[in-house]
């Protein structure tokens, strides 16, 4: 079972060791987002969509760097495996970090940049962010998280590229197989692989989401339990 | 028993069998030296004992736990110092503040004392340490955890000569009756006067004996001409240092280098003698 005291100690270790790198990344993102805000407000529509792109790119690239970062080198992997806490505790701390703390922290730079640029340069004439817009970005992040989380444990290095490369490859193969099967069964009928969207969000049944999240988180845990230094 | 293995085996793949049918019984209170040639699997064995590698077959119990389960009760009772050191980019003080609470028996005063004896400047950032200083810092931390079993892979690698001597002294002074230490090294001389048990590893298996047992079977002496029952001889100026069958007239302690070379080059006769 999970020992709360040890888990808190693990959190403390994670942030004591990671905060300087994380702060540096946040500062960089803030600068990057300030420039983008200015360009967007000046030249493009004042929609929040660009923040979605920035946030997701930042969190997924930054996130893959921060998820299970100890697994990337053999020496740090051994050090991490030997810390006297259970596998479940170490996994849970990583999971909570990636699910709750990381996305909220990473949402700060684009939101701050947006607000700062709006007030300082455009005298607040650009509409302020709404909670629905922010919520939408978080949901997008949470949909991507199980994939990258699994990729971080499975691939350990170059996680972003390997994970998305695998997803694209598997997607193409699955699409090809499905299309082939469709034509075999229905002959001349059109194959429609599109996911239907409502208000910009894909409509997926709840059971499919549960399977998706459960599958990748479960697989991540199994892989993490089996991690070796060899 | 601190360590008990039965028919332990490990293979990286079907063609690369590293360890096969190893049987070890190491009681508490022992300081064991693991000696072996390059590539015989010393580091692999240590990693298996520490639980960072899983054995391919056989049974294994270390401080009454299965290492591969990696339970906290197991991990806080052993400390594994790998050959390749890793210390995060932080200060020594904050490292101790972060990781010492995981070890219930951690002795901060002992840690400070050991660092002082090894002449490590404590307030520096760990990333600014030299390789040898990193090793010393980790040795100090390992000793201060008061773990039941210390597993050290090449701990003297990178240590200067005075520090090697301090390391030997520290092990003798700080290892309690309930504790045990396993040290691997290529430099057998680094362990002389410290270990009481020898673990000799080669591609054909592992031999574990106490030095007392070996002293009862073997002798080391200096001769003008090597005797017939010599297991291994080393030439020095106008004489031979030889390891032979036990002789009552030889009182010299077993020389670990001669012992290992006798095992390595003359395995069959060596095993007959012991």
């Amino acid at each position: 079972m999970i020992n709360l005291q040890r888990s808190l100690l693990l959190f403390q270790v994670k942030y004591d060791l990671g905060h300087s790198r994380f702060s540096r990344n946040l500062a960089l993102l803030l600068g990057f987002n300030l420039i983008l805000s200015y360009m967007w407000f000046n030249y493009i529509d004042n929609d929040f969509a660009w923040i979605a792109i920035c946030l997701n790119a930042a969190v997924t690239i930054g996130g893959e760097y921060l998820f299970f970062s100890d697994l990337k080198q053999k020496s740090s992997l051994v050090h991490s495996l030997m810390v006297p806490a259970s596998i479940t505790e170490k996994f849970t701390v990583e999971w909570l970090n990636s699910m709750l703390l990381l996305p909220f922290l990473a949402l700060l730079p684009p939101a701050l940049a947006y607000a700062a640029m709006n007030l300082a340069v455009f005298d607040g004439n650009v509409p302020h962010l709404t909670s629905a817009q922010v919520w939408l970005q978080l949901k997008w992040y949470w949909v991507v998280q199980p994939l990258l989380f699994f990729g971080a444990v499975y691939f350990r290095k170059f996680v972003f590229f390997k994970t998305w490369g695998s997803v694209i490859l598997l997607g193409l193969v699955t699409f090809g197989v499905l299309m082939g099967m469709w034509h075999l069964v229905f002959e001349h009928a059109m194959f429609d692989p599109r996911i239907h969207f409502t208000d910009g969000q894909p409509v997926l049944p709840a059971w499919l989401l549960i399977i998706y999240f459960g599958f990748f988180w479960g697989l991540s845990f199994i892989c993490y339990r089996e991690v070796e230094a060899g | 028993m601190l360590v008990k293995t039965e028919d332990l085996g490990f293979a990286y793949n079907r063609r690369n069998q590293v360890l096969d049918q190893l049987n070890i019984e190491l009681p508490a209170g022992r300081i064991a030296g693991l000696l072996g040639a390059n590539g015989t699997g010393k580091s692999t064995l240590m990693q298996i004992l520490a639980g960072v590698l899983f054995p391919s077959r056989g049974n294994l119990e270390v401080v009454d736990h299965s290492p591969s389960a990696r339970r906290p009760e197991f991990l806080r009772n052993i400390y594994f110092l790998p050959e390749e050191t890793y210390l995060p980019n932080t200060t020594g003080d904050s490292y101790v503040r972060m990781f010492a609470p995981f070890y219930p028996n951690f002795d901060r005063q002992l840690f400070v004392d050991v660092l002082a004896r090894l002449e490590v400047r404590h307030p520096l950032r760990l990333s600014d340490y030299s390789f040898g200083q990193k090793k010393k810092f980790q040795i100090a931390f390992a000793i201060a955890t008061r773990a039941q079993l210390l597993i050290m892979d090449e701990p003297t690698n990178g240590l200067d000569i005075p520090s090697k001597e301090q390391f030997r002294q520290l092990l003798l002074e700080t290892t309690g009756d309930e504790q045990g230490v396993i040290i691997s090294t290529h430099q057998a001389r680094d362990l002389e006067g410290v270990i009481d048990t020898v673990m000799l590893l080669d591609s054909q298996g592992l031999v574990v004996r106490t030095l007392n047992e070996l002293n009862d079977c073997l002798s080391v002496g200096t001769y003008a001409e090597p005797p017939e029952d010599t297991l291994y001889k080393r030439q020095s100026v106008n004489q031979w240092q030889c390891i032979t069958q036990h002789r009552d007239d030889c009182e010299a302690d077993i020389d670990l280098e001669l012992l290992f070379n006798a095992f390595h080059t003359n395995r069959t006769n060596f095993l007959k003698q012991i």
Side-chain angles (χ1 to χ4, degrees):
Chain A
M1 291 309 294
I2 292 175
N3 178 304
L4 190 62
Q5 193 187 353
R6 273 199 305 263
S7 303
L8 289 173
L9 282 172
L10 285 173
F11 255 118
Q12 192 190 334
V13 168
K14 190 152 188 67
Y15 277 90
D16 278 0
L17 296 181
H19 75 271
S20 59
R21 188 172 60 187
F22 194 73
S23 312
R24 200 166 50 236
N25 285 352
L26 282 186
L28 279 173
L29 279 174
L30 187 61
F32 176 64
N33 281 297
L34 277 170
I35 297 166
L36 276 178
S37 310
Y38 182 79
M39 287 169 65
W40 193 273
F41 290 153
N42 256 343
Y43 305 116
I44 318 174
D45 191 12
N46 59 1
D47 194 73
F48 188 55
W50 68 270
I51 293 188
I53 298 161
C54 294
L55 175 71
N56 281 294
V59 174
T60 47
I61 295 171
E64 77 93 7
Y65 191 52
L66 292 166
F67 299 166
F68 293 108
S69 51
D70 292 335
L71 305 190
K72 293 185 195 306
Q73 286 180 336
K74 188 181 170 185
S75 54
S76 59
L77 165 64
V78 170
H79 187 269
S80 151
L81 290 178
M82 295 310 296
V83 172
S86 71
I87 292 164
T88 315
E89 286 156 6
K90 291 172 188 172
F91 183 85
T92 307
V93 166
E94 285 288 344
W95 185 84
L96 285 173
N97 172 56
S98 68
M99 278 301 283
L100 301 177
L101 290 176
L102 192 59
F104 281 101
L105 286 174
L107 197 65
L108 274 174
L112 281 175
Y114 188 101
M117 195 55 70
N118 192 5
L119 291 172
V121 181
F122 298 94
D123 299 325
N125 290 328
V126 181
H128 289 288
L129 294 179
T130 65
S131 55
Q133 286 170 321
V134 176
W135 183 237
L136 180 63
Q137 307 323 311
L138 281 175
K139 283 201 276 191
W140 273 111
Y141 167 75
W142 282 326
V143 167
V144 175
Q145 186 272 354
L147 269 178
L148 283 164
F149 197 65
F150 170 67
V153 187
Y154 188 76
F155 294 118
R156 299 198 208 172
K157 288 178 182 173
F158 308 112
V159 174
F160 183 76
F161 298 104
K162 285 181 179 175
T163 307
W164 288 119
S166 308
V167 168
I168 290 167
L169 195 67
L170 277 174
L172 286 173
V173 171
T174 311
F175 178 75
V177 170
L178 280 177
M179 206 162 68
M181 285 170 65
W182 182 274
H183 282 295
L184 269 178
V185 178
F186 299 105
E187 291 188 355
H188 303 298
M190 281 293 289
F191 177 63
D192 181 5
R194 284 173 298 179
I195 296 169
H196 296 281
F197 283 76
T198 302
D199 298 332
Q201 293 179 70
V203 181
L204 292 173
W207 63 267
L208 197 62
L209 281 176
I210 291 169
I211 288 176
Y212 167 73
F213 283 98
F215 178 75
F216 282 107
W217 287 337
L219 214 56
S220 306
F221 181 74
I222 291 167
C223 276
Y224 184 62
R225 206 178 52 184
E226 300 298 323
V227 162
E228 291 183 78
Chain B
M1 285 291 163
L2 284 184
V3 178
K4 190 174 181 190
T5 73
E6 283 172 13
D7 297 331
L8 189 75
F10 180 83
Y12 282 103
N13 52 53
R14 281 184 187 176
R15 289 178 185 173
N16 192 0
Q17 178 83 33
V18 183
L19 304 171
D20 194 23
Q21 296 196 317
L22 301 191
N23 294 294
I24 308 170
E25 285 196 355
L26 188 74
R30 295 270 180 87
I31 301 179
L34 176 59
L35 306 177
N38 291 333
T40 47
K42 296 190 299 296
S43 295
T44 304
L45 176 58
M46 296 199 130
Q47 288 176 13
I48 291 171
L49 295 179
V52 296
L53 276 182
F54 300 148
S56 309
R57 64 178 160 278
N59 297 319
L60 169 65
E61 217 173 66
V62 178
V63 292
D64 299 324
H65 292 275
S66 167
S68 44
R70 294 172 185 161
R71 294 189 195 286
E73 301 79 28
F74 164 74
L75 294 169
R76 67 182 174 224
N77 275 317
I78 72 154
Y79 192 92
F80 174 47
L81 178 63
E83 185 180 6
E84 196 183 338
T85 55
Y86 168 79
L87 286 170
N89 185 18
T90 185
T91 62
D93 282 331
S94 60
Y95 183 88
V96 173
R97 199 177 57 246
M98 278 187 266
F99 291 103
F102 287 102
Y103 298 90
N105 300 324
F106 192 87
D107 187 335
R108 281 171 194 268
Q109 190 53 51
L110 178 62
F111 175 70
V112 173
D113 291 346
V114 174
L115 279 185
R117 283 178 63 175
L118 292 172
E119 298 173 358
V120 180
R121 284 170 293 161
H122 194 196
L124 279 179
R125 286 191 82 77
L126 298 175
S127 53
D128 295 335
Y129 282 176
S130 67
F131 178 73
Q133 283 181 312
K134 283 181 182 170
K135 264 270 157 74
K136 290 177 189 175
F137 184 89
Q138 287 207 307
I139 288 169
F141 192 88
I143 289 173
T145 59
R146 292 259 184 226
Q148 267 185 285
L149 179 65
L150 300 183
I151 301 172
M152 299 176 158
D153 194 358
E154 304 281 357
T156 53
N157 224 356
L159 295 193
D160 49 32
I161 294 167
S163 300
K164 283 183 183 178
E165 183 52 35
Q166 282 295 339
F167 172 70
R168 281 193 284 263
Q169 286 298 321
L170 282 165
L171 276 188
L172 290 170
E173 288 169 23
T174 59
T175 307
D177 291 341
E178 299 302 313
Q179 292 177 290
V181 185
I182 301 176
I183 310 168
S184 86
T185 184
H186 290 107
Q187 293 159 2
R189 284 185 193 280
D190 288 349
L191 302 183
E192 270 175 1
V194 180
I195 60 171
D196 52 26
T197 303
V198 182
M199 301 164 87
L200 300 165
L201 182 66
D202 69 3
S203 57
Q204 295 173 66
L206 180 77
V207 177
V208 184
R209 294 287 188 278
T210 64
L211 284 184
N212 285 339
E213 287 170 340
L214 290 170
N215 272 318
D216 288 343
C217 312
L218 304 168
S219 289
V220 171
T222 307
Y223 304 91
E225 284 297 322
E228 273 184 21
D229 59 350
T230 297
L231 292 169
Y232 184 80
K233 60 181 187 291
R234 180 171 58 204
Q235 191 168 21
S236 51
V237 184
N238 297 331
Q239 56 189 13
W240 293 88
Q241 265 196 310
C242 302
I243 186 161
T244 61
Q245 284 180 25
H246 180 74
R247 287 154 194 260
D248 289 334
D249 56 339
C250 285
E251 292 294 325
D253 284 336
I254 291 282
D255 178 308
L256 290 177
E257 257 186 29
L258 283 178
L259 178 82
F260 177 71
N261 281 323
F263 169 75
H264 185 62
T265 58
N266 196 1
R267 191 179 205 276
T268 312
N269 287 332
F270 178 84
L271 292 180
K272 272 184 200 162
Q273 290 303 321
I274 63 167

